[in-house]
mmCIF file of all heavy atoms in Angstrom:
data_model
loop_
_atom_site.group_PDB
_atom_site.id
_atom_site.type_symbol
_atom_site.label_atom_id
_atom_site.label_comp_id
_atom_site.label_asym_id
_atom_site.label_seq_id
_atom_site.Cartn_x
_atom_site.Cartn_y
_atom_site.Cartn_z
ATOM 1 N N THR A 79 55.068 -18.552 -33.923
ATOM 2 C CA THR A 79 55.676 -17.290 -33.563
ATOM 3 C C THR A 79 55.188 -16.187 -34.483
ATOM 4 O O THR A 79 55.191 -16.349 -35.697
ATOM 5 C CB THR A 79 57.214 -17.371 -33.659
ATOM 6 O OG1 THR A 79 57.653 -18.486 -32.890
ATOM 7 C CG2 THR A 79 57.869 -16.117 -33.143
ATOM 8 N N ALA A 80 54.735 -15.081 -33.914
ATOM 9 C CA ALA A 80 54.318 -13.921 -34.690
ATOM 10 C C ALA A 80 54.600 -12.670 -33.875
ATOM 11 O O ALA A 80 54.511 -12.687 -32.651
ATOM 12 C CB ALA A 80 52.835 -14.008 -35.026
ATOM 13 N N ASN A 81 54.948 -11.588 -34.551
ATOM 14 C CA ASN A 81 55.221 -10.318 -33.885
ATOM 15 C C ASN A 81 54.538 -9.195 -34.643
ATOM 16 O O ASN A 81 54.504 -9.201 -35.867
ATOM 17 C CB ASN A 81 56.724 -10.048 -33.832
ATOM 18 C CG ASN A 81 57.456 -11.083 -33.034
ATOM 19 O OD1 ASN A 81 57.190 -11.253 -31.857
ATOM 20 N ND2 ASN A 81 58.366 -11.798 -33.675
ATOM 21 N N LEU A 82 54.031 -8.227 -33.898
ATOM 22 C CA LEU A 82 53.311 -7.105 -34.485
ATOM 23 C C LEU A 82 53.483 -5.902 -33.569
ATOM 24 O O LEU A 82 53.414 -6.041 -32.345
ATOM 25 C CB LEU A 82 51.831 -7.472 -34.606
ATOM 26 C CG LEU A 82 50.860 -6.459 -35.167
ATOM 27 C CD1 LEU A 82 51.159 -6.208 -36.647
ATOM 28 C CD2 LEU A 82 49.442 -6.993 -35.031
ATOM 29 N N SER A 83 53.715 -4.721 -34.149
ATOM 30 C CA SER A 83 53.795 -3.484 -33.367
ATOM 31 C C SER A 83 52.756 -2.510 -33.885
ATOM 32 O O SER A 83 52.602 -2.343 -35.098
ATOM 33 C CB SER A 83 55.174 -2.842 -33.488
ATOM 34 O OG SER A 83 56.147 -3.640 -32.875
ATOM 35 N N VAL A 84 52.050 -1.869 -32.965
ATOM 36 C CA VAL A 84 51.064 -0.853 -33.304
ATOM 37 C C VAL A 84 51.509 0.432 -32.613
ATOM 38 O O VAL A 84 51.609 0.470 -31.387
ATOM 39 C CB VAL A 84 49.647 -1.256 -32.834
ATOM 40 C CG1 VAL A 84 48.630 -0.198 -33.217
ATOM 41 C CG2 VAL A 84 49.257 -2.619 -33.397
ATOM 42 N N HIS A 85 51.804 1.476 -33.402
ATOM 43 C CA HIS A 85 52.343 2.720 -32.861
ATOM 44 C C HIS A 85 51.258 3.785 -32.766
ATOM 45 O O HIS A 85 50.518 4.013 -33.719
ATOM 46 C CB HIS A 85 53.477 3.239 -33.754
ATOM 47 C CG HIS A 85 54.661 2.337 -33.759
ATOM 48 N ND1 HIS A 85 55.811 2.642 -33.085
ATOM 49 C CD2 HIS A 85 54.875 1.128 -34.330
ATOM 50 C CE1 HIS A 85 56.682 1.664 -33.251
ATOM 51 N NE2 HIS A 85 56.138 0.732 -34.003
ATOM 52 N N TYR A 86 51.191 4.433 -31.615
ATOM 53 C CA TYR A 86 50.316 5.567 -31.378
ATOM 54 C C TYR A 86 51.204 6.782 -31.116
ATOM 55 O O TYR A 86 52.424 6.680 -31.181
ATOM 56 C CB TYR A 86 49.398 5.296 -30.185
ATOM 57 C CG TYR A 86 48.428 4.165 -30.433
ATOM 58 C CD1 TYR A 86 48.746 2.860 -30.062
ATOM 59 C CD2 TYR A 86 47.212 4.397 -31.051
ATOM 60 C CE1 TYR A 86 47.866 1.817 -30.298
ATOM 61 C CE2 TYR A 86 46.316 3.353 -31.290
ATOM 62 C CZ TYR A 86 46.660 2.071 -30.910
ATOM 63 O OH TYR A 86 45.789 1.033 -31.150
ATOM 64 N N THR A 87 50.625 7.919 -30.811
ATOM 65 C CA THR A 87 51.399 9.145 -30.616
ATOM 66 C C THR A 87 52.401 9.040 -29.477
ATOM 67 O O THR A 87 53.560 9.425 -29.631
ATOM 68 C CB THR A 87 50.461 10.337 -30.345
ATOM 69 O OG1 THR A 87 49.506 10.415 -31.398
ATOM 70 C CG2 THR A 87 51.228 11.645 -30.274
ATOM 71 N N ASP A 88 51.980 8.524 -28.336
ATOM 72 C CA ASP A 88 52.867 8.511 -27.169
ATOM 73 C C ASP A 88 53.135 7.130 -26.586
ATOM 74 O O ASP A 88 53.748 7.006 -25.537
ATOM 75 C CB ASP A 88 52.334 9.439 -26.081
ATOM 76 C CG ASP A 88 50.942 9.038 -25.606
ATOM 77 O OD1 ASP A 88 50.278 8.253 -26.298
ATOM 78 O OD2 ASP A 88 50.531 9.518 -24.532
ATOM 79 N N TYR A 89 52.668 6.093 -27.243
ATOM 80 C CA TYR A 89 52.961 4.730 -26.797
ATOM 81 C C TYR A 89 52.836 3.767 -27.961
ATOM 82 O O TYR A 89 52.357 4.130 -29.035
ATOM 83 C CB TYR A 89 52.044 4.305 -25.637
ATOM 84 C CG TYR A 89 50.589 4.103 -26.010
ATOM 85 C CD1 TYR A 89 50.110 2.846 -26.373
ATOM 86 C CD2 TYR A 89 49.686 5.159 -25.974
ATOM 87 C CE1 TYR A 89 48.784 2.659 -26.704
ATOM 88 C CE2 TYR A 89 48.361 4.981 -26.301
ATOM 89 C CZ TYR A 89 47.911 3.723 -26.663
ATOM 90 O OH TYR A 89 46.594 3.546 -27.000
ATOM 91 N N MET A 90 53.295 2.554 -27.735
ATOM 92 C CA MET A 90 53.133 1.507 -28.745
ATOM 93 C C MET A 90 52.753 0.213 -28.052
ATOM 94 O O MET A 90 53.053 0.008 -26.879
ATOM 95 C CB MET A 90 54.394 1.333 -29.572
ATOM 96 C CG MET A 90 55.572 0.767 -28.866
ATOM 97 S SD MET A 90 56.930 0.621 -30.043
ATOM 98 C CE MET A 90 58.076 -0.299 -29.081
ATOM 99 N N LEU A 91 52.058 -0.612 -28.805
ATOM 100 C CA LEU A 91 51.732 -1.954 -28.338
ATOM 101 C C LEU A 91 52.585 -2.929 -29.121
ATOM 102 O O LEU A 91 52.610 -2.889 -30.352
ATOM 103 C CB LEU A 91 50.256 -2.275 -28.573
ATOM 104 C CG LEU A 91 49.243 -1.439 -27.810
ATOM 105 C CD1 LEU A 91 47.824 -1.794 -28.261
ATOM 106 C CD2 LEU A 91 49.379 -1.642 -26.315
ATOM 107 N N THR A 92 53.294 -3.767 -28.424
ATOM 108 C CA THR A 92 54.056 -4.838 -29.055
ATOM 109 C C THR A 92 53.323 -6.130 -28.747
ATOM 110 O O THR A 92 53.081 -6.455 -27.584
ATOM 111 C CB THR A 92 55.489 -4.892 -28.502
ATOM 112 O OG1 THR A 92 56.104 -3.622 -28.701
ATOM 113 C CG2 THR A 92 56.299 -5.960 -29.194
ATOM 114 N N ILE A 93 52.940 -6.833 -29.806
ATOM 115 C CA ILE A 93 52.166 -8.062 -29.667
ATOM 116 C C ILE A 93 53.016 -9.207 -30.206
ATOM 117 O O ILE A 93 53.474 -9.152 -31.342
ATOM 118 C CB ILE A 93 50.838 -7.960 -30.455
ATOM 119 C CG1 ILE A 93 50.049 -6.735 -29.979
ATOM 120 C CG2 ILE A 93 50.032 -9.235 -30.303
ATOM 121 C CD1 ILE A 93 48.895 -6.357 -30.886
ATOM 122 N N SER A 94 53.231 -10.206 -29.383
ATOM 123 C CA SER A 94 54.062 -11.350 -29.779
ATOM 124 C C SER A 94 53.373 -12.646 -29.401
ATOM 125 O O SER A 94 52.854 -12.777 -28.296
ATOM 126 C CB SER A 94 55.418 -11.307 -29.077
ATOM 127 O OG SER A 94 56.115 -10.146 -29.418
ATOM 128 N N ARG A 95 53.373 -13.583 -30.323
ATOM 129 C CA ARG A 95 52.889 -14.933 -30.030
ATOM 130 C C ARG A 95 54.101 -15.837 -29.968
ATOM 131 O O ARG A 95 54.932 -15.850 -30.853
ATOM 132 C CB ARG A 95 51.943 -15.426 -31.112
ATOM 133 C CG ARG A 95 51.474 -16.857 -30.822
ATOM 134 C CD ARG A 95 50.619 -17.422 -31.922
ATOM 135 N NE ARG A 95 49.470 -16.560 -32.111
ATOM 136 C CZ ARG A 95 48.774 -16.516 -33.233
ATOM 137 N NH1 ARG A 95 49.113 -17.252 -34.252
ATOM 138 N NH2 ARG A 95 47.736 -15.720 -33.339
ATOM 139 N N ASN A 96 54.180 -16.582 -28.886
ATOM 140 C CA ASN A 96 55.282 -17.521 -28.727
ATOM 141 C C ASN A 96 54.734 -18.764 -28.045
ATOM 142 O O ASN A 96 54.409 -18.734 -26.865
ATOM 143 C CB ASN A 96 56.407 -16.884 -27.911
ATOM 144 C CG ASN A 96 57.647 -17.725 -27.909
ATOM 145 O OD1 ASN A 96 57.627 -18.884 -28.311
ATOM 146 N ND2 ASN A 96 58.733 -17.154 -27.446
ATOM 147 N N GLY A 97 54.629 -19.832 -28.790
ATOM 148 C CA GLY A 97 54.080 -21.055 -28.217
ATOM 149 C C GLY A 97 52.613 -20.885 -27.896
ATOM 150 O O GLY A 97 51.833 -20.453 -28.724
ATOM 151 N N LYS A 98 52.235 -21.158 -26.657
ATOM 152 C CA LYS A 98 50.819 -21.118 -26.299
ATOM 153 C C LYS A 98 50.373 -19.777 -25.733
ATOM 154 O O LYS A 98 49.218 -19.616 -25.368
ATOM 155 C CB LYS A 98 50.497 -22.230 -25.311
ATOM 156 C CG LYS A 98 51.219 -22.145 -23.989
ATOM 157 C CD LYS A 98 50.844 -23.301 -23.092
ATOM 158 C CE LYS A 98 51.542 -23.207 -21.751
ATOM 159 N NZ LYS A 98 51.114 -24.249 -20.839
ATOM 160 N N TYR A 99 51.261 -18.779 -25.672
ATOM 161 C CA TYR A 99 50.911 -17.481 -25.110
ATOM 162 C C TYR A 99 51.010 -16.367 -26.140
ATOM 163 O O TYR A 99 51.842 -16.398 -27.044
ATOM 164 C CB TYR A 99 51.822 -17.116 -23.936
ATOM 165 C CG TYR A 99 51.667 -18.017 -22.743
ATOM 166 C CD1 TYR A 99 52.679 -18.898 -22.388
ATOM 167 C CD2 TYR A 99 50.514 -18.010 -21.976
ATOM 168 C CE1 TYR A 99 52.549 -19.736 -21.296
ATOM 169 C CE2 TYR A 99 50.373 -18.839 -20.883
ATOM 170 C CZ TYR A 99 51.378 -19.697 -20.547
ATOM 171 O OH TYR A 99 51.247 -20.527 -19.470
ATOM 172 N N VAL A 100 50.164 -15.348 -25.953
ATOM 173 C CA VAL A 100 50.250 -14.101 -26.697
ATOM 174 C C VAL A 100 50.574 -13.022 -25.667
ATOM 175 O O VAL A 100 49.884 -12.904 -24.649
ATOM 176 C CB VAL A 100 48.926 -13.777 -27.422
ATOM 177 C CG1 VAL A 100 48.999 -12.415 -28.086
ATOM 178 C CG2 VAL A 100 48.590 -14.864 -28.440
ATOM 179 N N PHE A 101 51.621 -12.258 -25.926
ATOM 180 C CA PHE A 101 52.057 -11.194 -25.025
ATOM 181 C C PHE A 101 51.727 -9.851 -25.671
ATOM 182 O O PHE A 101 52.119 -9.598 -26.806
ATOM 183 C CB PHE A 101 53.567 -11.264 -24.783
ATOM 184 C CG PHE A 101 54.008 -12.552 -24.162
ATOM 185 C CD1 PHE A 101 54.454 -13.606 -24.953
ATOM 186 C CD2 PHE A 101 53.981 -12.715 -22.790
ATOM 187 C CE1 PHE A 101 54.870 -14.802 -24.384
ATOM 188 C CE2 PHE A 101 54.391 -13.909 -22.203
ATOM 189 C CZ PHE A 101 54.830 -14.955 -23.012
#
Side-chain angles (χ1 to χ4, degrees):
T79 307
N81 297 300
L82 179 67
S83 293
V84 181
H85 294 255
Y86 295 93
T87 306
D88 60 344
Y89 69 93
M90 69 179 189
L91 296 174
T92 303
I93 304 167
S94 299
R95 178 184 302 158
N96 189 347
K98 62 181 181 175
Y99 294 110
V100 175
F101 300 94

